[in-house]
Amino acid sequence: MTSDPPALLELTEYATGTLEGVRLPQADRRLLQGPSLGKRLKVKELSGGRLEVRASQYVGVVRLEAVEIRVIPKYLGDELDVLCMVDHVWGGARNLLPTVHGLAGGRPYLRDLVCLMVVQHGERLLRHGVRRDYVAVEDDLRVVRGRLLPDRQLLRHHARPDRLACRFEEHEADVVDNRLCAAALELAARTARDEEVRARARRAAGLFGQHAPTRLGDVAAALASVAYHRHNEHYRPAHLWAGLLLTGGGLDGLFASGPMVSRAFLIDMNRLFEAFVTRLLEDGAAGTGLRVKGQVSHSGVLTDERTRQSYGTVRPDLLVSGSRAGNPYRLPVDVKYKLYTEKKLAPGDLYQASAYAHAFGLLGDGEPPGCVLIHPGPAGARGHRVAVRSVEGRVTSRVRTVPLDLRAVLAELGGPDPHAVPARLFREVTG
């Protein structure tokens, strides 16, 4: 006898939705009140068996016993667009991205799409042959191999010349590179909704399990331990998608252990949008003589005049710097995942951008310092231009916004001339 499927609630980022006739079991309450999920999704039980869910900037799916909550993107077409953004941030070739929006099970969830990426990269590695490496092994042998371990020999095999404690190197495939893939494929085989994806994941997981039977252990430690070189560079995309799945959508490791890793998959769109814009501007700056740096902290901007010590750090999202027309040039850039084409800039964001302009801005030609704020926006939308003036009316800085049409940008990145997008955005940002 099969139990009834959980109720389904679908809502967009930052929206609030309600479900009727849902009562959460205690296990669901414990998960929702935990520190990892509680910061990402607000769930409140109301009177009359109603459930209120308030989403934030996280998109994906949370599967509980009583309800399945799906948060879909607000500024994008669908979850496949999120996948394309992730792939572009990682410098993917897009050749393994899904080309159709429907899987066998119907409309795909973001988590199923990531499972599919894990499977496709795993199958690619299996076709080309999995990597082997030399691994240090300690064993008791009848003849010396490698190096004899005198301490171990004395403690374990005193007066036993027929048992020799040795350390030697074995050339095998049971290495972290393959364990990461095996763990991600095994998770995809258990949790993907799409039947075909589960079947492919089971086959690939079984093959990787034969090569790397040792359990992965701590995900974050395993990811941090991998050093890429010419022998394993081709594993990098597979590891990126595996890490995304194994950490529940966040490489910060918040979901890397415990029950949430198979229950929740949520991607922070604020962080993804910032990383996406950073990659576009870095690519767009190529050949211009300017460079783009992200998240560089400066402790000398705010100082305590009594102690002459730093009063705190100032860290713009991006800083474009270099030389323009023979003059030093600096332009701070702030990235906000907000639809500012429909409303005025929030005072806090405006004050922050103005502070960045005064601290870092250097445009040359006698122009007041400036700061650019990049945000999502529809095609053809006009950005804001705000002048900051002294009480005497003198312009002391300017804040300018640049809307970015994510759907159009992603479509163009997948077209015949993907390099035109970052170049055009960089020109628009730097004026």
Side-chain angles (χ1 to χ4, degrees):
M1 183 176 180
T2 59
S3 58
D4 294 333
L8 175 64
L9 176 62
E10 186 176 290
L11 65 164
T12 60
E13 302 165 81
Y14 300 106
T16 300
T18 57
L19 270 177
E20 302 286 343
V22 176
R23 183 174 179 82
L24 296 178
Q26 194 60 35
D28 285 355
R29 293 193 184 100
R30 284 196 298 268
L31 290 175
L32 289 168
Q33 292 168 3
S36 294
L37 189 56
K39 297 176 181 178
R40 291 158 165 76
L41 203 64
K42 302 297 182 183
V43 180
K44 184 178 181 180
E45 292 182 90
L46 306 176
S47 60
R50 292 182 301 136
L51 196 70
E52 180 184 270
V53 179
R54 187 168 74 251
S56 59
Q57 76 271 19
Y58 293 88
V59 301
V61 62
V62 176
R63 298 174 185 168
L64 304 173
E65 293 182 17
V67 61
E68 183 172 300
I69 303 167
R70 182 182 183 187
V71 183
I72 60 177
K74 182 177 182 179
Y75 305 142
L76 294 166
D78 54 27
E79 283 117 323
L80 184 58
D81 290 335
V82 178
L83 204 71
C84 293
M85 287 181 68
V86 172
D87 184 70
H88 187 77
V89 167
W90 288 342
R94 299 180 65 96
N95 58 325
L96 288 181
L97 283 176
T99 56
V100 294
H101 287 228
L103 299 178
R107 182 181 175 188
Y109 281 17
L110 179 59
R111 195 179 193 281
D112 267 9
L113 291 170
V114 174
C115 287
L116 180 57
M117 295 301 295
V118 168
V119 170
Q120 291 188 154
H121 280 280
E123 292 173 340
R124 175 181 59 85
L125 292 172
L126 288 168
R127 286 194 300 269
H128 290 84
V130 299
R131 178 174 178 265
R132 294 177 176 272
D133 201 356
Y134 287 98
V135 179
V137 177
E138 293 184 1
D139 201 359
D140 301 325
L141 307 174
R142 293 185 178 274
V143 296
V144 174
R145 180 181 177 187
R147 176 186 170 192
L148 185 68
L149 302 176
D151 293 344
R152 176 168 164 165
Q153 181 71 28
L154 182 64
L155 291 173
R156 295 191 178 187
H157 309 302
H158 179 64
R160 288 281 310 271
D162 60 323
R163 304 299 294 169
L164 303 175
C166 301
R167 177 183 291 128
F168 54 94
E169 288 193 334
E170 193 76 69
H171 194 239
E172 59 180 55
D174 193 9
V175 294
V176 174
D177 285 339
N178 294 321
R179 292 172 194 166
L180 276 167
C181 297
L185 287 164
E186 190 273 334
L187 182 60
R190 288 191 291 108
T191 59
R193 296 175 62 98
D194 187 81
E195 184 177 345
E196 181 182 351
V197 173
R198 285 199 310 272
R200 290 172 61 184
R202 281 195 299 270
R203 289 193 295 270
L207 293 172
F208 262 103
Q210 295 174 18
H211 294 291
T214 303
R215 303 297 295 179
L216 178 64
D218 184 78
V219 176
L223 289 168
S225 71
V226 179
Y228 293 100
H229 43 78
R230 64 187 182 88
H231 295 298
N232 70 343
E233 179 62 33
H234 61 294
Y235 270 77
R236 189 190 295 268
H239 288 168
L240 290 170
W241 291 109
L244 193 64
L245 181 63
L246 290 169
T247 57
L251 292 179
D252 52 9
L254 289 175
F255 288 159
S257 61
M260 288 309 304
V261 71
S262 60
R263 295 271 190 158
F265 185 87
L266 296 168
I267 290 180
D268 186 344
M269 290 301 297
N270 283 351
R271 290 181 60 191
L272 178 57
F273 182 65
E274 181 181 325
F276 184 68
V277 170
T278 300
R279 183 59 187 255
L280 288 175
L281 289 181
E282 287 175 344
D283 293 344
T288 65
L290 299 173
R291 59 186 179 274
V292 177
K293 290 186 178 180
Q295 296 289 346
V296 179
S297 297
H298 298 265
S299 58
V301 174
L302 302 175
T303 57
D304 189 320
E305 291 191 331
R306 292 178 301 174
T307 64
R308 299 182 183 275
Q309 300 295 314
S310 173
Y311 203 77
T313 59
V314 178
R315 185 175 62 183
D317 292 331
L318 298 166
L319 185 64
V320 181
S321 61
S323 177
R324 213 176 197 190
N327 298 315
Y329 179 91
R330 288 195 307 270
L331 177 67
V333 178
D334 203 18
V335 182
K336 297 295 183 186
Y337 189 63
K338 300 176 181 179
L339 200 61
Y340 270 139
T341 52
E342 299 178 353
K343 58 184 179 181
K344 295 174 65 175
L345 299 179
D349 293 341
L350 185 57
Y351 302 155
Q352 183 184 51
S354 177
Y356 289 159
H358 279 278
F360 301 101
L362 185 62
L363 302 183
D365 297 331
E367 286 290 317
C371 178
V372 172
L373 192 153
I374 302 177
H375 61 89
R382 296 180 61 184
H384 298 280
R385 298 181 67 91
V386 180
V388 180
R389 299 176 181 271
S390 66
V391 291
E392 292 81 16
R394 180 174 57 89
V395 176
T396 60
S397 64
R398 286 192 176 92
V399 176
R400 179 167 54 91
T401 68
V402 174
L404 187 65
D405 187 340
L406 286 173
R407 298 187 193 184
V409 165
L410 289 170
E412 196 169 351
L413 286 172
D417 189 13
H419 301 292
V421 177
R424 186 172 62 248
L425 177 64
F426 189 79
R427 288 195 301 270
E428 189 173 358
V429 167
T430 57

